Amino acid sequence: MQHAQKPANELERLEALIQYDILDSDPEDEYDNIASLAAHICQVPVAIVSFIDQDRKWHKAKVGIAATEMKRDIAVCSHTIVADEETMIVEDTRNDDRFENSPVNQGNSPVVFYAGVKLRSNEGFVLGTLCVVDHKPNKITEEQEHMLARLGQQVMHLLEYRRNLRLLRSIKDIQRKQYNELEEFTHTVIHDINSPMANVVGLADLLDSDIKYSDELDKDTVGQYVGMIKKAGINIQLFMTELLDYYRSDSLSSIEAEEINFKEWIKEVTQMLDPHGKHRIELPEGDHGIRVRKVALRHVFTNLIQNAIKHNPDLGLNIKIFFEEKESKYAFHVSDDGKGIRGDTSKIFEPLVTMNGSTSGTGLGLAIVKKIVEKEGGTIELLANENAGATFNFTINKG
């Protein structure tokens, strides 16, 4: 007995087979009917639709046998998938050197006559066979061989339909995920833009008050207000553009990392969030050139600082931003000396969770922060004290 050689493209062939999700699937009438037709057309007792896995021949449909699989190294079909011809015919396996003393042509139901056609994918991979078997020597006519090949093609049509249906379902799942992310994005925009917009409105109110109630209009003050409003508007517009680009991208690889001076960059972010200078924000000392995807980092810092301000509206906070460069990551922390975070904080990064009895916000901000940090290859944690502020530590990969 000779064991069949494996195809030269065996690894790729097995990967292709997996794509069809056919192995160990339930019986299906369409495949059973093809096996029945093959046995009837060739006038033999056995017909099998089988797929050649790594170590076995698995039977998707069968007529005339009970076994659902057999070892690949003894299967006649293992020779078929590497044969030069598309249909391999052996009139009597007992007289073929390849199958001499093989267990398949022994016993009560031996494989004596065999005809098998390759099941070849559109990409050219031979996934298995449609074969017919007799327990005695036999032949098939040219017309029967032709019909067997046509039935093999029908098996592949069913298989391609199965793969396409699976791909369609996968696409629908992706679309559903994208819709959910779009909905999440909408909530995020509302959440993250609310505070900067409130600052713009506040500045506009101050300007309006000066115009209405001041006897002498201070042009320098008006100019200062207008400049602050314009700068806040530009920063909001920039933030929205970057955020939209981030959520539109299928992967972060489509957004290039940029070299920035972290101290100068974070100063602009904090000025957008606290244009009146109500809070004391301590920035890292020294200039640090870092390479990051700005939209991701802006989103994280905006949420963390904005949350600290929002939950302590009556306090002038001390907010400290710390930076450290590590071997493969950048490490940051944002701390404040506010009223702290009360209650169980173990689920604070989960969607729709709000703290301190808050009725404002969507409860999505920190969940999305965590998602973005993890996309950037990092982690985030909260160090909280009920009466002494909060500290968020997070890392991201170097760009």
Side-chain angles (χ1 to χ4, degrees):
M1 174 185 170
Q2 300 175 11
H3 294 301
Q5 296 293 319
K6 292 186 176 180
N9 60 357
E10 176 67 1
L11 291 178
E12 294 86 352
R13 188 192 70 82
L14 290 173
E15 289 175 0
L17 180 58
I18 291 171
Q19 292 177 10
Y20 292 89
D21 195 28
I22 192 70
L23 295 172
D24 298 310
S25 59
D26 293 332
E28 297 177 62
D29 288 343
E30 294 85 352
Y31 295 91
D32 292 340
N33 291 340
I34 289 175
S36 296
L37 277 170
H40 177 74
I41 290 169
C42 295
Q43 293 296 290
V44 293
V46 178
I48 308 169
V49 176
S50 64
F51 297 97
I52 308 298
D53 199 1
Q54 183 172 359
D55 298 309
R56 60 174 177 157
K57 180 183 79 141
W58 179 77
H59 303 157
K60 172 61 178 175
K62 57 191 185 297
V63 172
I65 64 168
T68 57
E69 62 181 60
M70 69 183 303
K71 291 182 178 179
R72 174 177 175 172
D73 60 357
I74 64 172
V76 180
C77 293
S78 296
H79 292 269
T80 303
I81 68 169
V82 293
D84 293 334
E85 62 271 20
E86 288 298 304
T87 302
M88 189 180 89
I89 300 174
V90 183
E91 295 181 1
D92 190 339
T93 61
R94 296 169 300 185
N95 297 327
D96 191 308
D97 291 342
R98 293 172 296 179
F99 310 108
E100 184 179 0
N101 298 322
S102 171
V104 299
N105 54 27
Q106 310 295 320
N108 296 327
S109 302
V111 177
V112 179
F113 169 77
Y114 172 92
V117 61
K118 295 177 181 178
L119 300 178
R120 188 184 293 276
S121 73
N122 291 340
E123 295 78 21
F125 297 110
V126 181
L127 308 176
T129 67
L130 167 62
C131 68
V132 293
V133 170
D134 203 343
H135 307 308
K136 63 182 190 305
N138 204 340
K139 297 180 179 181
I140 58 174
T141 66
E142 187 175 318
E143 179 64 18
Q144 287 172 323
E145 181 181 342
H146 175 72
M147 293 303 295
L148 189 64
R150 294 292 296 272
L151 289 174
Q153 291 173 0
Q154 187 60 32
V155 171
M156 285 310 307
H157 289 326
L158 290 173
L159 211 58
E160 292 296 342
Y161 174 79
R162 179 187 186 89
R163 181 171 67 168
N164 291 338
L165 185 61
R166 187 183 183 205
L167 289 173
L168 180 61
R169 288 171 178 162
S170 177
I171 291 170
K172 289 180 69 176
D173 288 342
I174 292 172
Q175 289 176 333
R176 189 179 298 110
K177 180 182 178 182
Q178 288 176 337
Y179 173 81
N180 291 337
E181 288 187 349
L182 179 60
E183 189 174 36
E184 186 179 88
F185 168 72
T186 303
H187 286 295
T188 303
V189 170
I190 295 171
H191 176 273
D192 287 352
I193 214 68
N194 183 58
S195 179
M197 284 302 298
N199 289 329
V200 171
V201 172
L203 289 168
D205 285 341
L206 286 173
L207 179 58
D208 182 59
S209 177
D210 273 7
I211 292 172
K212 286 182 178 178
Y213 302 110
S214 295
D215 294 333
E216 294 183 5
L217 197 60
D218 187 336
K219 291 184 178 181
D220 291 338
T221 301
V222 172
Q224 184 181 10
Y225 285 154
V226 170
M228 293 171 70
I229 291 173
K230 182 177 180 180
K231 186 173 183 179
I234 291 172
N235 283 331
I236 291 171
Q237 186 179 41
L238 176 62
F239 172 72
M240 290 296 296
T241 301
E242 290 178 341
L243 191 61
L244 187 59
D245 287 343
Y246 182 84
Y247 276 91
R248 276 179 173 170
S249 65
D250 292 329
S251 66
L252 285 173
S253 61
S254 63
I255 299 178
E256 293 291 333
E258 299 178 53
E259 191 81 24
I260 63 171
N261 181 305
F262 177 67
K263 185 175 182 179
E264 293 179 0
W265 178 85
I266 193 63
K267 184 178 180 180
E268 292 180 0
V269 173
T270 57
Q271 285 177 342
M272 181 184 76
L273 298 172
D274 183 33
H276 301 294
K278 179 179 178 180
H279 308 284
R280 182 176 179 272
I281 300 178
E282 183 179 342
L283 303 179
E285 294 182 359
D287 293 328
H288 301 280
I290 63 175
R291 186 171 179 81
V292 294
R293 275 170 275 273
K294 290 194 302 182
V295 59
L297 201 60
R298 181 188 291 272
H299 188 103
V300 174
F301 274 107
T302 296
N303 264 275
L304 298 183
I305 297 171
Q306 186 171 292
N307 279 345
I309 293 172
K310 181 179 70 175
H311 292 296
N312 299 277
D314 301 324
L315 298 178
L317 293 175
N318 289 301
I319 299 173
K320 182 177 181 180
I321 298 170
F322 175 83
F323 166 80
E324 180 182 4
E325 183 172 354
K326 299 188 176 183
E327 184 177 353
S328 62
K329 296 182 182 294
Y330 300 124
F332 308 88
H333 84 219
V334 179
S335 64
D336 67 75
D337 61 350
K339 294 181 293 186
I341 301 176
R342 299 186 301 276
D344 180 12
T345 61
S346 62
K347 297 182 178 180
I348 196 168
F349 293 107
E350 294 183 9
L352 304 178
V353 172
T354 56
M355 303 302 294
N356 292 357
S358 174
T359 58
S360 62
T362 63
L364 286 170
L366 289 178
I368 297 172
V369 163
K370 182 173 185 290
K371 178 179 177 181
I372 291 174
V373 167
E374 289 176 349
K375 275 186 177 181
E376 294 295 306
T379 59
I380 186 168
E381 64 175 349
L382 165 67
L383 303 178
N385 186 308
E386 289 193 359
N387 301 310
T391 297
F392 287 91
N393 295 327
F394 72 94
T395 62
I396 62 172
N397 283 343
K398 291 183 177 180

